[in-house]
Coordinates of all heavy atoms in Angstrom, one line a residue:
G1500 N 12.8 80.4 66.2 CA 11.9 81.4 66.7 C 12.5 81.9 68.0 O 13.5 81.5 68.5
S1501 N 11.7 82.8 68.6 CA 12.0 83.4 69.9 C 13.4 84.0 70.0 O 14.1 83.9 71.1 CB 11.9 82.3 71.0 OG 10.5 81.9 71.1
S1502 N 14.0 84.5 68.9 CA 15.3 85.1 68.8 C 16.4 84.2 69.2 O 17.5 84.6 69.5 CB 15.3 86.3 69.8 OG 14.3 87.3 69.4
V1503 N 16.2 82.9 69.1 CA 17.2 81.9 69.4 C 18.3 81.9 68.3 O 18.0 81.9 67.1 CB 16.7 80.5 69.5 CG1 17.8 79.4 69.6 CG2 15.7 80.3 70.7
G1504 N 19.6 82.1 68.7 CA 20.7 82.1 67.7 C 20.8 83.4 67.0 O 21.6 83.5 66.1
V1505 N 20.1 84.5 67.4 CA 20.1 85.8 66.7 C 21.1 86.7 67.4 O 21.2 86.8 68.6 CB 18.7 86.4 66.8 CG1 18.8 87.8 66.1 CG2 17.7 85.5 66.0
S1506 N 21.9 87.4 66.5 CA 22.9 88.3 67.0 C 22.8 89.6 66.3 O 22.5 89.7 65.1 CB 24.3 87.8 66.8 OG 24.5 86.5 67.4
K1507 N 23.1 90.7 67.0 CA 23.2 92.0 66.4 C 24.6 92.5 66.4 O 25.2 92.6 67.5 CB 22.3 93.0 67.1 CG 22.2 94.4 66.5 CD 21.3 95.3 67.3 CE 21.2 96.7 66.7 NZ 20.3 97.6 67.5
V1508 N 25.3 92.7 65.3 CA 26.7 92.9 65.3 C 27.1 94.2 64.4 O 26.3 94.6 63.5 CB 27.4 91.7 64.7 CG1 27.1 90.5 65.5 CG2 27.1 91.4 63.2
S1509 N 28.2 94.7 64.7 CA 28.8 95.8 63.9 C 30.2 95.6 63.5 O 30.7 96.2 62.6 CB 28.7 97.1 64.7 OG 27.4 97.5 65.0
S1510 N 31.0 94.7 64.2 CA 32.4 94.5 64.0 C 32.6 93.1 63.3 O 31.8 92.2 63.4 CB 33.2 94.5 65.3 OG 32.9 93.4 66.1
K1511 N 33.8 93.0 62.6 CA 34.2 91.8 62.0 C 34.3 90.6 63.0 O 33.8 89.5 62.7 CB 35.5 92.0 61.2 CG 36.1 90.7 60.6 CD 35.2 90.3 59.4 CE 36.0 89.3 58.5 NZ 36.4 88.0 59.2
E1512 N 34.8 90.9 64.1 CA 35.0 89.9 65.2 C 33.7 89.3 65.6 O 33.5 88.1 65.7 CB 35.8 90.4 66.3 CG 36.1 89.4 67.4 CD 36.8 90.0 68.6 OE1 37.1 91.3 68.6 OE2 37.2 89.3 69.5
D1513 N 32.8 90.2 66.0 CA 31.4 89.8 66.4 C 30.7 89.1 65.3 O 29.9 88.2 65.5 CB 30.6 91.0 66.9 CG 31.2 91.6 68.2 OD1 31.9 90.9 68.9 OD2 30.9 92.8 68.5
F1514 N 30.9 89.6 64.1 CA 30.2 89.0 62.9 C 30.6 87.5 62.8 O 29.8 86.7 62.6 CB 30.7 89.8 61.7 CG 30.1 89.3 60.4 CD1 28.8 89.6 59.9 CD2 30.9 88.4 59.6 CE1 28.3 89.1 58.7 CE2 30.4 87.9 58.4 CZ 29.1 88.3 57.9
D1515 N 31.9 87.2 62.8 CA 32.3 85.8 62.7 C 31.8 84.9 63.8 O 31.3 83.8 63.5 CB 33.9 85.8 62.7 CG 34.5 86.4 61.5 OD1 33.8 86.6 60.5 OD2 35.7 86.8 61.6
K1516 N 31.7 85.4 65.0 CA 31.1 84.7 66.1 C 29.6 84.4 65.8 O 29.1 83.3 66.1 CB 31.4 85.4 67.4 CG 32.8 85.4 67.9 CD 32.9 86.2 69.2 CE 34.4 86.4 69.6 NZ 34.5 87.2 70.9
A1517 N 29.0 85.5 65.4 CA 27.5 85.4 65.1 C 27.2 84.4 64.0 O 26.2 83.7 64.1 CB 27.0 86.8 64.8
I1518 N 28.0 84.4 63.0 CA 27.8 83.4 61.9 C 27.9 82.0 62.4 O 27.1 81.1 62.2 CB 28.9 83.6 60.8 CG1 28.7 85.0 60.1 CG2 28.8 82.5 59.8 CD1 27.4 85.1 59.3
D1519 N 28.9 81.7 63.2 CA 29.1 80.4 63.8 C 27.9 80.0 64.7 O 27.4 78.9 64.7 CB 30.4 80.3 64.6 CG 31.6 80.3 63.8 OD1 31.5 80.0 62.6 OD2 32.7 80.7 64.3
T1520 N 27.4 81.0 65.5 CA 26.3 80.8 66.4 C 25.1 80.4 65.6 O 24.3 79.5 65.9 CB 26.0 82.0 67.3 OG1 27.2 82.3 68.1 CG2 24.8 81.8 68.1
A1521 N 24.8 81.2 64.6 CA 23.6 81.0 63.8 C 23.6 79.6 63.1 O 22.5 78.9 63.1 CB 23.4 82.1 62.7
F1522 N 24.7 79.2 62.6 CA 24.8 77.9 62.0 C 24.7 76.7 63.0 O 24.6 75.6 62.5 CB 26.1 77.8 61.2 CG 26.0 78.3 59.8 CD1 26.9 79.3 59.3 CD2 25.1 77.8 58.9 CE1 26.8 79.8 58.0 CE2 24.9 78.2 57.6 CZ 25.8 79.2 57.1
Q1523 N 24.8 77.0 64.2 CA 24.6 75.9 65.2 C 23.1 75.5 65.3 O 22.8 74.4 65.7 CB 25.0 76.4 66.6 CG 26.5 76.6 66.8 CD 26.8 77.1 68.2 OE1 26.0 77.0 69.1 NE2 28.0 77.6 68.3
Y1524 N 22.2 76.4 64.8 CA 20.8 76.2 64.9 C 20.1 75.8 63.5 O 19.0 75.4 63.5 CB 20.1 77.4 65.5 CG 20.5 77.6 66.9 CD1 21.5 78.5 67.3 CD2 19.9 76.9 68.0 CE1 21.9 78.7 68.6 CE2 20.3 77.0 69.3 CZ 21.2 77.9 69.6 OH 21.6 78.1 70.9
D1525 N 20.8 76.1 62.4 CA 20.2 75.8 61.1 C 21.3 75.7 60.1 O 22.4 76.1 60.3 CB 19.2 76.9 60.8 CG 18.2 76.6 59.7 OD1 18.1 75.4 59.4 OD2 17.6 77.5 59.1
H1526 N 20.9 75.1 58.9 CA 21.8 74.9 57.8 C 21.7 76.1 56.9 O 22.4 76.2 55.9 CB 21.5 73.7 57.0 CG 21.6 72.4 57.8 ND1 22.9 72.0 58.3 CD2 20.7 71.5 58.2 CE1 22.7 70.8 59.0 NE2 21.4 70.5 58.9

């Protein structure tokens, strides 16, 4: 909740980082 681990992305580079970030908080 509270936008924890949430990313807004447009590029492949930012996308890959965001995927890793989100998986830090959930399976």
Side-chain angles (χ1 to χ4, degrees):
S1501 296
S1502 301
V1503 173
V1505 177
S1506 304
K1507 183 179 182 181
V1508 303
S1509 297
S1510 68
K1511 176 69 164 60
E1512 181 181 5
D1513 290 341
F1514 177 85
D1515 291 339
K1516 292 178 182 176
I1518 294 292
D1519 289 337
T1520 297
F1522 272 124
Q1523 290 177 19
Y1524 294 97
D1525 197 13
H1526 298 296

